[in-house]
Amino acid sequence: MLVFKLALKSLLNRRYTVLLTMLSIAISVTLLLSVERIRTQTKANFANTVSGTDMIVGARTGEIQLLLSSIFHIGNATNNVSWQTYQRIANQPNVKWSIPLSLGDSHKGYRVVGTTNAFFQHYQFGNKQALILAEGHSFSRSFDVVLGAAVAATLNYKMGDQLVMAHGTGNTSFAMHNHAPFTVTGILQATGTPVDRAIYVSLAGIEAMHSTGHAKEASDHKHEHKDEDEHEHEHEHEHEKPTQLLQNQPPQQITAFLLGLKSRIMTLMAQRQINQFKAEPLLAIMPNLTLHQLWEMMDLVEQALLIISACVLVSALIGMLTTLLTSLNERRREMAILRSVGARPHHIIILMISEAFLITLFGCLLGIALLYVSMIALQPIAASTLGVYLELSFISRLEWQLLSVILGASVIIGAIPAFKAYRMSLSDGMNVKV
């Protein structure tokens, strides 16, 4: 303990040099832990997004592109699927349930997903967890809208608020569907998946929203009804018409659809049948297998990032070694005095190793603090651009192992100047020229 106190006071005496060394180690530790945490949390987010879905079907394109666009709302589909094709496949005897998805619109940067009430009944995430409405209900009219938890919290929307959708998926759009506002009737509980960052409307609402006839009709009504009584009538009419649309106006096309089969044994056969569907070129994928393909593709990038982070950390430790060796020559008199007052060679060795260990330990602690600060800063960016939620969790077992390896390396590095100091003789220290 006495040696540790002596090492701490020695570091405080050289505080500026030590602080810079500590900062370089902290940045290296932050980089290494950030790469590891983003890698593991991204995988967990993707794996938890969809569960219990046997197949995703869309127009023929790349498997990963279909998965990313339909489930994670990253990128766009290359083509659509006709409603007749969807119905033919959804009505096959081996299909237990189906969820149609229509994409292509947005609201203030959040994706709008056209679907049916089957989405709220059958979609599962995590460990086969069902969606739960925190408030309100699902679609009962065409212009009902259900919000993901993050959308409602970020935009501060409440039940009964009206939303106007925009054509396209960009953050800025000049094609607003002002003629077809939607009313918030439900808000989902948070799931920690891209579901939280999406807006769900009925397929009939999507069709009505894109109908120019509807816009013209709505505009004509506004000019025809001028007095207050007629305005009330118009209000009632606008709420009756969507109900009719919900029941009688199926869409012409959808972007993709999810399938749940009665027996998973039939999955491969059903996938082959859909991929060979003659009426329309289709692609059926199994989400888990496609995710595995995605991880295999990303594995090389992950390894490269980890190697770069490790190289940065090694350079920081080498920098610490250089600092200790450089200061050692200036501390020869200090070592000699310690030996003259009774310090044994192993005390000098422990002192030098302790200094290296303390510098690395404080660097690691500072690096962990910087990690959480950077995670807080990156959270909204990762969620808005990638749909990935970075959780502020405690240090994981793997991260503890990495930190242990770093501290162990500091002990080995500290042994180098310690061995050099051990070889210094008392007379050499007392006679050193200054």
Side-chain angles (χ1 to χ4, degrees), residues 230-243:
E230 288 177 336
H231 179 75
E232 290 295 331
H233 173 70
E234 178 189 10
H235 182 73
E236 291 175 4
H237 183 74
E238 287 180 351
H239 283 79
E240 289 172 2
K241 189 173 181 179
T243 306

Side-chain angles (χ1 to χ4, degrees), residues 31-285:
L31 184 61
L32 182 65
L33 296 184
S34 297
V35 170
E36 176 57 27
R37 182 159 290 201
I38 290 173
R39 184 181 70 87
T40 54
Q41 293 202 4
T42 300
K43 282 189 175 181
N45 270 270
F46 274 61
N48 289 332
T49 297
V50 61
S51 174
T53 297
D54 293 316
M55 281 193 294
I56 302 170
V57 183
R60 194 163 293 170
T61 180
E63 294 185 5
I64 293 175
Q65 183 180 7
L66 176 60
L67 177 73
L68 294 178
S69 62
S70 58
I71 300 297
F72 301 101
H73 308 150
I74 299 174
N76 296 300
T78 56
N79 211 341
N80 289 327
V81 179
S82 69
W83 182 252
Q84 290 76 15
T85 296
Y86 161 68
Q87 285 190 312
R88 283 182 60 182
I89 296 175
N91 291 328
Q92 289 181 355
N94 59 338
V95 175
K96 185 177 181 180
W97 54 262
S98 63
I99 302 173
L101 301 173
S102 180
L103 307 170
D105 294 291
S106 63
H107 174 76
K108 296 185 178 180
Y110 294 98
R111 293 292 183 99
V112 173
V113 181
T115 184
T116 64
N117 283 326
F119 178 81
F120 307 103
Q121 296 168 2
H122 301 297
Y123 187 87
Q124 294 178 326
F125 65 97
N127 188 19
K128 294 188 176 181
Q129 296 171 258
L131 297 176
I132 298 175
L133 282 161
E135 295 182 58
H137 55 79
S138 54
F139 312 135
S140 60
R141 297 172 182 271
S142 293
F143 288 92
D144 289 349
V145 58
V146 176
L147 304 179
V151 177
T154 305
L155 301 180
N156 197 26
Y157 282 144
K158 300 179 180 62
M159 300 290 291
D161 287 351
Q162 289 200 326
L163 283 67
V164 174
M165 309 307 175
H167 190 67
T169 56
N171 291 328
T172 304
S173 175
F174 298 100
M176 304 296 293
H177 299 291
N178 294 312
H179 60 279
F182 287 78
T183 303
V184 178
T185 60
I187 299 175
L188 291 168
Q189 281 188 1
T191 63
T193 70
V195 172
D196 296 347
R197 302 187 59 80
I199 297 171
Y200 300 91
V201 302
S202 68
L203 289 175
I206 290 283
E207 284 297 301
M209 184 173 66
H210 291 97
S211 169
T212 55
H214 178 80
K216 184 175 183 302
E217 189 176 336
S219 176
D220 291 340
H221 273 294
K222 289 183 180 179
H223 288 294
E224 290 173 5
H225 301 285
K226 295 181 179 179
D227 57 36
E228 185 175 359
D229 291 338
E230 288 177 336
H231 179 75
E232 290 295 331
H233 173 70
E234 178 189 10
H235 182 73
E236 291 175 4
H237 183 74
E238 287 180 351
H239 283 79
E240 289 172 2
K241 189 173 181 179
T243 306
Q244 185 180 359
L245 285 169
L246 183 61
Q247 296 171 350
N248 300 327
Q249 190 170 335
Q252 299 298 314
Q253 293 179 325
I254 58 175
T255 307
F257 55 95
L258 313 182
L259 288 180
L261 303 180
K262 292 177 181 177
S263 172
R264 289 200 165 184
I265 300 175
M266 306 294 292
T267 303
L268 289 176
M269 182 183 296
Q271 184 186 29
R272 185 171 63 252
Q273 290 175 348
I274 293 172
N275 288 336
Q276 295 175 350
F277 195 72
K278 294 182 179 178
E280 190 173 351
L282 298 176
L283 175 66
I285 62 170

Side-chain angles (χ1 to χ4, degrees), residues 24-39 301-317 371 402 406:
S24 67
I25 293 175
I27 293 173
S28 305
V29 169
T30 302
L31 184 61
L32 182 65
L33 296 184
S34 297
V35 170
E36 176 57 27
R37 182 159 290 201
I38 290 173
R39 184 181 70 87
V301 178
E302 293 173 4
Q303 297 303 322
L305 287 174
L306 283 175
I307 290 173
I308 291 172
S309 303
C311 289
V312 173
L313 180 62
V314 169
S315 66
L317 292 175
L371 169 69
L402 288 174
I406 295 170

